[in-house]
Amino acid sequence: IMKTFPIYVLLFVSAVFNSCNKNQKHPPDTVNITALLDITDPMAIFPDAESLLSIYDFPKDKNKEAFFRLTTTTDKLLNPAIELHLPPAETTKKDNQFEDPDFREKEVLAFYEEVRKSIASFNTQKLEDTTLEHSECFRSIAGELTLMKEHKTGKCLLAVYSDLAENSDLDIVYGSGLQQLLKHPDTTLKRFETTGLLPNDLSGFTVLFIYQPKDREDDQRFNTMVRLYQKMLSKRGATVIVSADNPKYIQL
């Protein structure tokens, strides 16, 4: 004989289930952006604060967590960096001692201002830097991706401002080295892959390459190199974007 449950019992169970679901806490969204500027050669494009800030998309969700890092590609592996962090609203609400209804908006605006100041100061300083003989492009890119991977809890963007012209013990893509690169690009690809420096899983990462070539030779070199990075990064799950200007309308 089939037993039937009173309708109020079913309604009670449903109400309890829905209440439990509402009480479940979901971790806040996190957006992690790093801008990596190559200062080994003069660059036409520098990091732009408004373009990068738009990627956080705070108007859609002011409660999210944000990381920002600004550093350089040089002839060295260890370079100074600027790092900023806006904790999620859930973490900082305890600081709102006077119950200011605009407290979070003010925190976001303060974060915006710190990013703007940092980029403006950084760009002014780097415009005065001289060119460098060597360039550690690959190791710098791999190093920044590894750092982001170590505390990845959300969406990550690495904006690479570089001609990608490697000039290290891994490869030299100038003079005869450029001709070898154009004829045998997979040789360079193999050298990079053999280092084992790139994280194996870059799902949820976006890597943006930004550069304006100076002439036809520079264009050939950059496009050959960026295709190698596209191969390496795409097979690891990353989204790769190539642009001649600062980012616009990127959604992570």
Side-chain angles (χ1 to χ4, degrees):
I1 299 173
M2 181 179 292
K3 294 182 179 179
T4 59
F5 290 91
I7 188 65
Y8 64 82
V9 174
L10 295 176
L11 290 174
F12 174 76
V13 172
S14 176
V16 171
F17 179 77
N18 289 332
S19 176
C20 289
N21 279 345
K22 288 180 181 178
N23 290 332
Q24 285 182 347
K25 289 186 177 180
H26 298 283
D29 287 339
T30 300
V31 178
N32 188 345
I33 295 178
T34 293
L36 177 62
L37 175 65
D38 188 341
I39 61 170
T40 60
D41 285 304
M43 288 284 293
I45 305 297
F46 280 72
D48 175 67
E50 303 311 315
S51 298
L52 294 171
L53 285 171
S54 70
I55 299 171
Y56 288 104
D57 200 12
F58 274 111
K60 185 177 180 181
D61 178 11
K62 65 184 179 182
N63 299 315
K64 68 180 64 173
E65 181 177 26
F67 291 91
F68 179 71
R69 178 176 162 89
L70 188 58
T71 189
T72 55
T73 295
T74 68
D75 56 354
K76 302 182 292 294
L77 298 181
L78 188 61
N79 298 291
I82 297 169
E83 295 185 344
L84 302 172
H85 176 221
L86 175 63
E90 184 67 25
T91 300
T92 63
K93 68 179 182 180
K94 65 180 183 298
D95 299 323
N96 188 10
Q97 299 176 1
F98 301 104
E99 298 185 358
D100 181 355
D102 299 322
F103 184 75
R104 185 57 180 178
E105 284 80 359
K106 291 176 181 177
E107 285 189 313
V108 172
L109 290 175
F111 177 74
Y112 279 2
E113 192 58 26
E114 285 299 313
V115 171
R116 290 186 182 111
K117 287 180 180 178
S118 297
I119 289 178
S121 173
F122 181 87
N123 288 349
T124 299
Q125 178 186 347
K126 300 313 172 188
L127 277 168
E128 299 172 357
D129 285 342
T130 57
T131 58
L132 300 171
E133 184 176 348
H134 296 91
S135 181
E136 292 281 357
C137 294
F138 175 74
R139 288 190 178 100
S140 295
I141 292 169
E144 291 304 318
L145 288 171
T146 299
L147 277 177
M148 298 176 88
K149 181 73 177 177
E150 286 176 355
H151 64 80
K152 177 186 178 300
T153 54
K155 299 172 183 177
C156 295
L157 171 83
L158 174 61
V160 181
Y161 296 79
S162 174
D163 59 4
L164 303 179
E166 190 77 23
N167 191 358
S168 68
D169 60 312
L170 289 176
D171 207 352
I172 299 174
V173 295
Y174 291 95
S176 60
L178 174 58
Q179 299 309 312
Q180 287 299 313
L181 171 69
L182 298 177
K183 290 179 182 178
H184 307 288
D186 286 346
T187 300
T188 297
L189 180 68
K190 185 176 180 181
R191 286 181 186 142
F192 287 170
E193 288 282 22
T194 302
T195 66
L197 294 175
L198 284 172
N200 292 323
D201 182 11
L202 291 173
S203 302
F205 279 71
T206 298
V207 183
L208 172 65
F209 293 97
I210 304 159
Y211 185 64
Q212 286 186 8
K214 303 177 186 68
D215 51 38
R216 184 172 176 80
E217 180 178 289
D218 195 29
D219 185 65
Q220 284 183 309
R221 177 170 38 237
F222 173 75
N223 281 292
T224 302
M225 291 300 295
V226 84
R227 282 194 292 270
L228 299 185
Y229 280 97
Q230 283 177 313
K231 286 183 180 180
M232 291 185 289
L233 299 171
S234 295
K235 79 173 187 178
R236 289 169 166 83
T239 298
V240 179
I241 302 172
V242 182
S243 176
D245 207 343
N246 270 292
K248 294 179 178 64
Y249 314 117
I250 290 181
Q251 291 186 336
L252 300 184

